[in-house]
Amino acid sequence: GLPIGIKDESGIKGQPLSKGSLIYKDYIAEDTSPVNQRVLDAGGIVHARTATPEFSCAGFTWSRLWGITRNPWNTNFTSGGSSGGSSASLASGTSTICTGSDIGGSIRIPASTCGLVGYKPPYGRNPEEAVFNLDFYCHTGPLARSVKDTIRLQNVMCGPSPKDIATLRPKLVLPYEYQPIKDWKIAYSPNLGCFEVDPEVEKNTLASLEVFKSLGATIEEVDLGWGPEVLEAGLAYLGHIFGAAMHDELEQHAGELTSYARAFAKESLNSTPSDFLGSLDVAYKMYSTLGPILEEYNILICPTTAIPAVQADFDPTKDELKINGKDVNKMLGWCMTTPFNTMSRCPVLTVPSGQASNGVPTGTQIVGRTYCDEDVFQAALAYEEALGGWLNSKSTGPNLQTSNQSL
């Protein structure tokens, strides 16, 4: 088996499960999640539980329980979140593969900030624990240092589960070899119509598009017709569902919560059923433009994060967040991932696009048609092979090698 880091969010019976919170510092899991059971059954050696922000409710990773999780490429910056412990472990070479979960970008954000591959499968592809298995924003998925390692773990994680009514039949097994992407049509959105994007991120995204061009694909910039309502709807949905799950902790343990978890829970108290319904209406309108584009093009490409990363100790309750001199939402205004939790049936794979001048990696999102998982892996593997891999002896960051073992 392979050594694997398991995110400190899902249970392994008889082992600690803190969720990054002082409230659960002594909690022992009573059950093993379906995904974790599959990892164990496949011979995974769980040598570490990887850190999360409290209750996985942030795009950075620090908590009062575990302190600050830093980016191995530049320790002044975050490793991302909420699967930031997984990304830091992979980027520093202390895990071979890791699990993650993604409700607003929590697999793809840390994959981007740490120069990794991260996969948000379409809703229902991988089993999730109750009650969030019924939340279509919520996905479990793999992080790894190469596309094939990502496939390796995804093939273990996926498939129908008797414990999750939302899981899809039959099990999809991804191949390791694909045909070239010559003559593919690729749609490109520089900002999804609603994000400020740092020039270094844009530059690296354009460089990644040149690689796809070199493989025989054509690139066309598209207008999704999306505006600020996209992020607003995502935040409204997350507040109504995710925030509600934290109300008991706010009422009984406010003094033990982190500043950001307390603020998130408090703000969600103002959410109304109308806000929730409004977010679903926005989701309908988003797909009314995205769907036809994905019918015309094989995939859509856009940046993963609008800046390389925020500071390692970033606190949205007190720190400023500006991009191109403009104030953006402090929780998710720098994360171009949440719209594809709204578009949850689309598979999305993040791959590295380069590094910023501060040494922090940047990432590109590859978005596929609904439930067309193989398309995003076909594109990503062609891209990775064209580059000769991105984490090797010539890397300017940690000298890492990928696994050639099987789980």
Side-chain angles (χ1 to χ4, degrees), residues 8 15-28 54-55 64-66 256:
D8 184 22
Q15 295 189 14
L17 178 61
S18 76
K19 305 179 185 180
S21 177
L22 286 174
I23 301 167
Y24 289 91
K25 62 183 178 64
D26 298 318
Y27 180 73
I28 302 298
E54 189 165 31
F55 302 122
R64 295 176 64 183
L65 182 60
W66 300 120
E256 297 170 83

Side-chain angles (χ1 to χ4, degrees), residues 37 46 54 66 105 112 145 149 182 206 213-214 241 258 261 285 297 321 330 336 342 347 402:
Q37 189 62 59
V46 182
E54 189 165 31
W66 300 120
S112 177
R145 295 194 296 262
D149 276 2
K182 186 177 184 296
L206 291 173
K213 283 183 183 179
S214 74
I241 299 293
T258 54
K285 292 175 180 176
Y297 297 88
L321 183 56
K330 295 179 182 182
M336 298 173 65
T342 310
T402 58

